[in-house]
Amino acid sequence: MILNNIGIIGMGVMGSNIAFNFSNHNERISVYTRSSEKLKQIVQKDQNNFIISFNSLKDFVFSLKKPRHILLMIPSGSSIDLLIESLLKFLDIGDVIIDGGNSFFKDTRKRNNYLIKKGIYFIGAGISGGEKGALLGPSIMYGGDKKACAILEILFQKISAKYHGQSCSEYIGSDGSGHYVKMVHNGIEYSDMQLISEVYYLLKNLLQFDNQKISNLFKKWNQGELCSYLIEITGNILSKKNKNGNYIIDLIEDIANNKGTGMWTSQNALELCVPLSLITESVFARYLSTLKTQRILASTLFTGPEKKIKFTSKELSIFLNHLQKALYLSKILSYAQGFTQLKFASEKYNWNLQYFKIAKIFRAGCIIRADLLNKIVDAYVENNQIISFLFSPYFQNIVNQYHSSLRYIVSIGVKFGISIPVFSAAISYYDSYRSKISSANLIQAQRDYFGSHTYSRIDKEGSFHTEWI
Ligand code: 6PG
């Protein structure tokens, strides 16, 4: 019997597409799921006959070469722990379990610690790119014990996306670091999506642009510095009509769901004391969207300015130019906050993250792939320890040139009563970040006034308290 290098458990869309991806790269692969019907369909669809299916967990495990590599593509949470327990009965020392889902990095750390005591390696792999990416080449960020990753590296390189021939698969660091980087990727994904939605909302409500016109604008912007997967798909989404000739976007309810990865990113930023205002605002924007009943009621009771502006064609082109720049700068600030969070996490968890490597694997396959990442790669190649990539010459130049556009767009939003929370967070962060002197001296005085919390002074070393009353 020929033994396979890797097996996958979980034949949902992501799991099965990864199996087909391996098969398309001439890699024989074992797959396991409980449904015989599902297994039959997958084997039938596999034109290369490289997928070997099992509905016995034991037979599946024994079909793998040692050390066994078992990729779990099942929902995150307790189902992972249950499956690990079932697998342990059949595994040998040195075998490797890889969690390819969006698991919380602290769970990955725990599982890692638990399994290492049993001689089993546990690798947390963030796999980005949605169902198409899984089939044609995702971006893969994996972490755990490096010793366990030699075979995995070759396997992941085979199936990952390629950016000008370079594989978008990278070993990130120990324990939960792979899942951590995927979590921050998702946080950035949230703010990218929200910023684009705010542009759409402004154009639709303030300028009364129709869907086709907005779609054309995104398609045009996708030819320039904003070029990215999310801008590209937004251009396509906005022009898509159904059989009756109606735009699909107009039929979709304005309530955004989430699976929690954006929330984890923000929660962790709070724990690490790192400002993550753009991503966090985008999480809140999704939550606010779900308060539909309250929004409907409030819309009938609370007033605001008329959401309309009349531009000459010259003014319109100036406005659109500002909007494009405001979007690019806000996107930069959101990535900068995300990468700064990675830096804080690297220090806290001792991961020694290589930011240029992370930016490199985000350039293809994943949801936040964007031309901008090349500039981020350059900044970190130049200096991996840079405080923030904003300090590199390219970004210094952009922020200095573009902040007035962002300021203008936010002022328009405020003036005309159009909610653009992430744009607003962006300019606010920018202005706070560049403030040599902040208002925090007053906060310290207030804390000392009501709670004797003490303060430090600018003219003397030490800790001081004033009897304020
Ligand atoms: C990816 C995506 C993927 C998933 C999101 C959706 O990188 O391929 O991020 O992981 O689509 O997790 O997340 P929400 O349901 O929270 O929007």
Side-chain angles (χ1 to χ4, degrees), residues 358-401:
I358 295 169
K360 270 186 172 177
I361 58 163
F362 284 169
R363 290 180 305 177
C366 72
I367 304 297
I368 66 165
R369 59 188 184 260
D371 279 10
L372 163 67
L373 285 153
N374 280 313
K375 304 291 183 193
I376 301 178
V377 171
D378 293 346
Y380 285 120
V381 165
E382 182 74 26
N383 177 7
N384 190 54
Q385 297 313 325
I386 196 165
I387 314 169
S388 159
F389 66 71
L390 289 178
F391 291 98
S392 71
Y394 170 80
F395 289 107
Q396 269 185 51
N397 192 26
I398 291 285
V399 293
N400 286 329
Q401 276 186 46

Side-chain angles (χ1 to χ4, degrees), residues 331-380:
K331 184 179 168 83
I332 288 171
L333 294 171
S334 152
Y335 281 60
Q337 288 191 340
F339 273 80
T340 303
Q341 181 175 4
L342 291 179
K343 196 171 168 62
F344 275 59
S346 180
E347 278 155 26
K348 162 106 180 164
Y349 306 114
N350 290 319
W351 284 333
N352 189 25
L353 296 181
Q354 302 296 305
Y355 310 105
F356 73 96
K357 288 189 179 169
I358 295 169
K360 270 186 172 177
I361 58 163
F362 284 169
R363 290 180 305 177
C366 72
I367 304 297
I368 66 165
R369 59 188 184 260
D371 279 10
L372 163 67
L373 285 153
N374 280 313
K375 304 291 183 193
I376 301 178
V377 171
D378 293 346
Y380 285 120

Side-chain angles (χ1 to χ4, degrees), residues 71-113:
L71 175 60
L72 312 184
M73 294 302 299
I74 62 168
S76 58
S78 56
S79 45
I80 301 272
D81 297 304
L82 291 172
L83 190 55
I84 287 173
E85 290 310 314
S86 312
L87 277 169
L88 280 175
K89 290 177 222 144
F90 310 117
L91 295 184
D92 290 304
I93 286 180
D95 287 348
V96 185
I97 300 176
I98 308 116
D99 174 6
N102 277 333
S103 287
F104 186 44
F105 79 100
K106 288 188 183 171
D107 291 340
T108 305
R109 301 190 96 193
K110 273 190 222 144
R111 288 169 187 142
N112 192 292
N113 289 338

Side-chain angles (χ1 to χ4, degrees), residues 14 102 127-130 182 185-186 189-190 193 257-262 286 366-367:
M14 289 296 283
N102 277 333
I127 302 182
S128 177
K182 177 60 170 52
H185 162 284
N186 280 28
E189 173 184 305
Y190 276 48
M193 292 166 75
N257 291 329
N258 76 92
K259 296 200 197 77
T261 51
R286 289 198 191 189
C366 72
I367 304 297

Side-chain angles (χ1 to χ4, degrees), residues 228-298:
S228 65
Y229 172 69
L230 285 168
I231 295 277
E232 180 194 331
I233 66 164
T234 306
N236 297 339
I237 287 168
L238 289 167
S239 58
K240 182 82 179 166
K241 289 182 177 171
N242 66 10
K243 281 192 281 214
N244 305 326
N246 300 318
Y247 285 106
I248 302 201
I249 187 70
D250 294 335
L251 304 172
I252 299 177
E253 194 169 34
D254 58 342
I255 294 177
N257 291 329
N258 76 92
K259 296 200 197 77
T261 51
M263 174 193 70
W264 292 340
T265 317
S266 295
Q267 278 177 336
N268 178 259
L270 289 171
E271 274 178 40
L272 296 181
C273 304
V274 56
L276 197 77
S277 43
L278 279 81
I279 290 172
T280 306
E281 267 305 337
S282 62
V283 176
F284 286 152
R286 289 198 191 189
Y287 294 171
L288 221 155
S289 78
T290 66
L291 305 179
K292 178 91 182 184
T293 320
Q294 289 185 43
R295 288 195 285 118
I296 292 172
L297 179 63

Side-chain angles (χ1 to χ4, degrees), residues 203 207 209 217 220-221 225-226 311 313-329 401-402 404-406 408-409 423:
L203 294 171
L207 301 178
F209 270 29
L217 188 67
K220 188 174 142 205
W221 286 356
E225 60 194 1
L226 278 168
F311 279 140
S313 64
K314 190 168 169 220
E315 285 165 342
L316 178 63
S317 106
I318 293 171
F319 176 85
L320 294 179
N321 188 33
H322 282 311
L323 190 57
Q324 184 179 359
K325 288 182 171 158
L327 179 56
Y328 190 53
L329 175 54
Q401 276 186 46
Y402 286 20
S404 53
S405 295
L406 176 55
Y408 169 71
I409 292 300
F423 276 119

